[in-house]
Amino acid sequence: MIIILVTIPQFLKLFETFKTIDELNQKKAFYQQKGKELEAINAEAFRKDLDTALIALPVEKDIPGVMGELLVALGGSGMNLDGITFSNSPVESEKTQEYTITIDASGEQSSLRNFLERVTVAPRLVKLNSIEVSSGTGQTITAAITFVTFYQLLPKTIGSVDDKLPTVTKVDTQILSDIAEKIRSFPKVNDQSSQSTIGKLDPFRP
């Protein structure tokens, strides 16, 4: 009887030890697999993809950057800039932030359409919020075009070593490819020709 009383706790402790060893082996296998995945990452390609994503969604307001893109689009559309206003900055958090930019411009209706088409191919993530149009002299119109642009602060925490590595899906890859194409095709802010050339974004469109 005494032997049984002594042996049972030892067996129970042994089972707990086996369970702990099994958990440690699982963690070891997880870390080894994670290490292989990290070694397989192309650091140069990853850095390039990160730079591309940050152009579309930067970690700060980057007002000069988004204004440069909007003004390049405006300068090549035939519209004339009359004024610019900004909204108040929202309360900062780790979620996506936004602020509005209102561009007051004048020109022909076709030029306004051309401007909006040009904005759609800008790399920066912006959303058309509203348009207020009023008639001017002759065929001229005046418009107040309000855009919402976004940015996201860097996270304050980077996760745990026990978390799985995030994966880049085919959808993510396609989005990055689309952004990269916009970056290549969109006129640079310091491109003097973009400010003097007036015409349609698509020359084959009637």
Side-chain angles (χ1 to χ4, degrees), residues 107-123:
E108 295 184 0
Q109 186 173 354
S110 60
S111 298
L112 175 60
R113 182 172 59 250
N114 193 13
F115 169 55
L116 296 177
E117 290 176 349
R118 289 173 178 270
V119 172
T120 63
V121 297

Side-chain angles (χ1 to χ4, degrees), residues 16 26 31 47 53 72 76 88-89 105 127 137 140 169 175 182 184 192 198:
E16 292 178 0
Q26 290 180 9
Y31 294 144
R47 188 178 299 108
V72 166
N88 294 327
S89 299
K127 180 181 70 174
T137 57
T140 302
T169 65
I175 291 174
K182 287 184 177 183
R184 287 190 294 268
Q192 297 298 325
I198 297 176

Side-chain angles (χ1 to χ4, degrees), residues 17-116:
T17 302
F18 285 154
K19 182 180 179 181
T20 301
I21 292 174
D22 183 58
E23 291 176 350
L24 291 175
N25 285 333
Q26 290 180 9
K27 281 190 175 183
K28 179 182 177 181
F30 172 78
Y31 294 144
Q32 288 176 338
Q33 179 62 30
K34 191 172 183 178
K36 292 179 181 180
E37 292 175 359
L38 287 170
E39 291 176 355
I41 293 176
N42 187 325
E44 183 177 352
F46 180 82
R47 188 178 299 108
K48 182 179 179 181
D49 288 343
L50 179 61
D51 291 341
T52 300
L54 290 177
I55 290 176
L57 185 64
V59 296
E60 55 186 14
K61 296 181 180 66
D62 188 27
I63 293 176
V66 68
M67 279 308 309
E69 292 185 4
L70 291 176
L71 291 179
V72 166
L74 186 72
S77 68
M79 295 290 288
N80 298 312
L81 178 66
D82 297 329
I84 303 174
T85 56
F86 299 88
S87 71
N88 294 327
S89 299
V91 178
E92 293 185 347
S93 70
E94 291 189 6
K95 296 181 179 180
T96 303
Q97 301 295 307
E98 63 182 53
Y99 60 93
T100 60
I101 301 174
T102 299
I103 293 181
D104 297 312
S106 56
E108 295 184 0
Q109 186 173 354
S110 60
S111 298
L112 175 60
R113 182 172 59 250
N114 193 13
F115 169 55
L116 296 177

